[in-house]
């Protein structure tokens, strides 16, 4: 019992028995993490997520803040217009300067809104007092993070395209060509260059393109890199096919 205060307020460190006794591991009193790991964002979408903060395994006893930083695919910090996502609070208001108060029970609820297409690592760190300096380079072993992919911005393309423009050539050139090139094995199932093949399987394709299946292994394409705008174009085209098979 006389050691309880020491255990509660001390800091656990691991050092080797042999000299030199350099620290190998050090306990971090405040830890933040999220069940989310890979997040896809469509143009105009706001994705809600929750981050949990604990202090020595329990909810924080006092006020705690959480600071965020965005890093590019090469590990470089992203600032200003380079940033891929905008962080917003539960009311949709931007978080400036990327700092949020940790709520009751150690919960932090924020929203992510895509600013431009691309990929980033969103790292975060809990703190008390002054805002800490975030690492100059991204490291997956130093701080927790979320991998965020903002899909291409094609909403304007979809809005500008009339039904009368939705020919098979237009759809192939603007939507299907990349998958035809990257996944030639698809031709063993049905040909993306074949108008009649597409019409025959229109109902099946439309089912597998449904946003409700996005997190499923049945979503097509499995890479999940089809933007919302181009997905709508393809679905519109399939609905217009005169020889469509439901």
């Amino acid at each position: 019992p006389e050691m309880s205060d020491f255990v509660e307020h001390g800091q656990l460190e691991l050092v080797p028995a042999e000299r030199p006794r350099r620290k190998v591991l050090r306990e971090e009193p405040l830890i933040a993490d999220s069940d989310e790991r890979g997040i896809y964002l469509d143009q105009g979408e706001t994705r809600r997520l929750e981050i949990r903060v604990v202090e020595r395994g329990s909810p924080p006893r006092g006020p705690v803040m959480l600071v965020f930083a965005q890093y590019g695919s090469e590990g470089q910090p992203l600032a200003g217009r380079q940033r891929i996502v905008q962080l917003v609070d539960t009311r949709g208001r931007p978080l400036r300067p990327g700092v949020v108060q940790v709520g009751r029970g150690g919960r932090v609820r924020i929203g992510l809104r895509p600013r431009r297409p691309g990929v980033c690592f969103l790292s975060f760190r809990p703190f008390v007092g002054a805002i800490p300096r975030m690492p100059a380079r991204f490291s997956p072993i130093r701080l927790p993070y979320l991998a965020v992919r903002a899909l291409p911005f094609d909403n304007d393309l979809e809005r500008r395209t009339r039904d009368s423009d939705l020919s098979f050539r237009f759809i192939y050139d603007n939507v299907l060509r990349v998958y035809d090139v990257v996944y030639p094995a698809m031709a063993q199932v049905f040909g993306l260059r074949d108008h009649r093949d597409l019409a025959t399987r229109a109902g099946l394709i439309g089912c597998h393109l449904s946003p409700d299946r996005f997190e499923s292994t049945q979503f097509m394409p499995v890479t999940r890199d089809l933007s919302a705008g181009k997905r709508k174009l393809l679905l519109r085209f399939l609905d217009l096919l005169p020889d469509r098979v439901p």
Side-chain angles (χ1 to χ4, degrees):
E2 64 273 12
M3 297 296 291
S4 61
D5 185 69
F6 173 76
V7 171
E8 185 175 353
H9 298 99
Q11 189 175 43
L12 179 65
E13 293 179 347
L14 278 166
V15 297
E18 301 81 11
R19 295 183 181 277
R21 295 182 177 177
R22 295 173 181 166
K23 297 171 187 175
V24 178
L25 292 173
R26 183 184 64 192
E27 176 189 19
E28 290 287 351
L30 288 170
I31 296 292
D33 210 349
S34 173
D35 289 337
E36 302 279 2
R37 277 297 175 264
I39 294 177
Y40 291 86
L41 293 173
D42 268 318
Q43 183 180 3
E45 177 187 10
T46 299
R47 175 74 173 266
R48 307 292 178 185
L49 63 94
E50 181 177 284
I51 297 171
R52 296 292 302 274
V53 177
V54 295
E55 183 177 3
R56 302 182 190 277
S58 301
R61 303 183 189 93
V64 177
M65 306 293 286
L66 197 66
V67 61
F68 295 85
Q70 292 184 44
Y71 298 90
S73 57
E74 301 298 323
Q76 75 280 17
L78 301 178
R81 295 182 180 180
Q82 294 180 318
R83 290 174 183 161
I84 302 298
V85 294
Q86 180 184 48
L87 278 65
V88 298
D89 63 16
T90 53
R91 298 182 181 179
R93 300 174 300 190
L95 293 177
R96 297 189 178 95
V99 175
V100 63
Q101 174 81 46
V102 176
R104 181 176 300 178
R107 291 181 171 85
V108 175
R109 294 184 175 94
I110 63 168
L112 300 182
R113 187 178 295 157
R115 299 181 59 185
R116 63 185 185 91
V119 177
C120 74
F121 298 105
L122 181 64
S123 196
F124 44 91
R125 181 178 189 177
F127 69 96
V128 175
I131 300 177
R133 184 186 299 273
M134 295 293 276
R137 302 287 296 179
F138 171 72
S139 170
I141 61 174
R142 292 187 64 182
L143 291 175
Y145 69 94
L146 311 171
V148 183
R149 168 78 184 277
L151 296 170
F153 283 13
D154 295 313
N155 288 356
D156 284 345
L157 173 66
E158 191 272 333
R159 280 193 293 264
R160 291 196 309 264
T161 304
R162 300 168 297 181
D163 283 355
S164 57
D165 297 327
L166 289 175
S167 65
F168 175 73
R169 175 51 56 186
F170 177 90
I171 288 296
Y172 182 81
D173 289 344
N174 289 277
V175 182
L176 300 177
R177 181 190 297 273
V178 62
Y179 303 106
D180 191 26
V181 172
V182 177
Y183 305 110
M186 277 291 294
Q188 298 176 21
V189 183
F190 65 90
L192 294 178
R193 302 185 188 193
D194 191 314
H195 181 280
R196 293 197 60 81
D197 257 5
L198 213 62
T200 302
R201 294 168 173 81
L204 182 63
I205 295 171
C207 178
H208 286 281
L209 284 174
S210 169
D212 295 338
R213 289 176 174 257
F214 192 83
E215 299 291 344
S216 164
T217 56
Q218 299 299 312
F219 183 76
M220 189 175 72
V222 293
T223 51
R224 295 172 177 80
D225 57 355
L226 185 64
S227 69
K230 289 188 175 180
R231 182 174 63 240
K232 289 178 183 178
L233 280 173
L234 182 53
L235 289 171
R236 282 172 52 195
F237 170 76
L238 295 174
D239 284 338
L240 292 169
L241 289 174
D243 48 352
R244 170 192 170 104
V245 177

